[in-house]
Amino acid sequence: MKQLHRKDLFGWSEFNQERNLDFNSVLWVRESGNILIDPLPLSTHDLNHLKALGGASLIVISNSDHCRDAENIAAQTGAKIVGPVGEKDNFPINCERWISDNEEIVPGLMAYQVEGSKTAGELAFLLDGNTLITGDLIRCHIAGELCLLPDTKLTNLDLALKSVVRLANLSTINTVLTGDGWPIFNHGSTALNRLLESKK
């Protein structure tokens, strides 16, 4: 796994040839139990790295299309899986807990429901008030510039933009770690506002 912008954050990726971008996963290392977000399959190297960092106690999934390898990794690590309550009735895997909008998953990690994406109830996560971790709705196909899921895959553009406005108003966001595409390590709130300007 790659070191991210903080000593307690790591990431790993898988290149998607169809979309010509990386799919990304995040590991937050913490004394009370490590957390994985939208975990992709782990190579042997990365699995050993995860074990060396203390394994995982919780797997957090942003939306049903990002279950990825959660069940397999949970079986290997004993981690519990949590998912968005908005998708509870049709979620493809079992979850031990369902997360709602504006809920603190663990101390320091807040969930925000985003509307208008391709799945109902998708969540974005805010870590320590300054690192936004996104699922499908907010992406980065060109380095340095955030974008939305393509219009053809949105269920409601107006609601999607309102969700971005809500997140952009969290002016403390410095970093945006996208589920799909490039990360943005600085001036995250500014990048969110540029995304909104591009849609006017």
Side-chain angles (χ1 to χ4, degrees):
M1 287 177 283
K2 298 169 286 189
Q3 179 80 62
L4 297 176
H5 64 297
R6 294 176 18 168
K7 291 183 178 179
D8 60 346
L9 288 178
F10 294 82
W12 71 104
S13 305
E14 177 183 281
F15 183 71
N16 182 271
Q17 295 183 12
E18 180 183 352
R19 295 170 181 82
N20 283 316
L21 52 74
D22 286 333
F23 292 162
N24 306 305
S25 301
V26 175
L27 163 65
W28 179 23
V29 177
R30 51 196 293 275
E31 288 186 5
S32 301
N34 297 340
I35 295 177
L36 300 173
I37 298 176
D38 291 350
L40 293 156
L42 289 159
S43 67
T44 300
H45 170 85
D46 286 344
L47 180 59
N48 289 335
H49 192 184
L50 175 63
K51 290 176 180 177
L53 291 168
S57 64
L58 197 67
I59 295 173
V60 181
I61 300 174
S62 64
N63 68 86
S64 55
D65 287 340
H66 278 209
C67 292
R68 297 172 168 175
D69 205 33
E71 283 187 306
N72 183 45
I73 294 172
Q76 294 180 75
T77 62
K80 294 182 178 180
I81 300 174
V82 302
V85 70
E87 296 193 67
K88 182 177 180 179
D89 292 340
N90 298 299
F91 211 65
I93 64 175
N94 292 324
C95 291
E96 282 83 0
R97 177 181 166 195
W98 300 99
I99 304 300
S100 300
D101 179 51
N102 208 35
E103 180 175 344
E104 188 172 49
I105 301 169
V106 298
L109 186 64
M110 293 294 300
Y112 291 90
Q113 184 168 311
V114 295
E115 307 289 346
S117 190
K118 62 181 177 179
T119 56
E122 179 180 328
L123 299 173
F125 310 105
L126 187 62
L127 176 59
D128 291 338
N130 55 44
T131 297
L132 180 68
I133 303 168
T134 67
D136 267 327
L137 180 64
I138 299 171
R139 317 151 75 77
C140 186
H141 293 193
I142 300 173
E145 295 296 329
L146 295 174
C147 63
L148 287 181
L149 192 70
D151 288 355
T152 55
K153 293 191 176 182
L154 294 174
T155 57
N156 189 306
L157 176 59
D158 288 340
L159 289 178
L161 290 174
K162 287 179 180 178
S163 294
V164 178
V165 169
R166 182 188 183 199
L167 295 172
N169 286 337
L170 302 171
S171 59
T172 56
I173 294 174
N174 190 50
T175 299
V176 182
L177 302 178
T178 61
D180 298 344
W182 297 93
I184 289 183
F185 289 116
N186 290 293
H187 310 295
S189 291
T190 301
L192 288 164
N193 279 295
R194 282 201 308 270
L195 166 57
L196 291 170
E197 285 294 322
S198 74
K199 290 295 183 178
K200 289 183 177 180

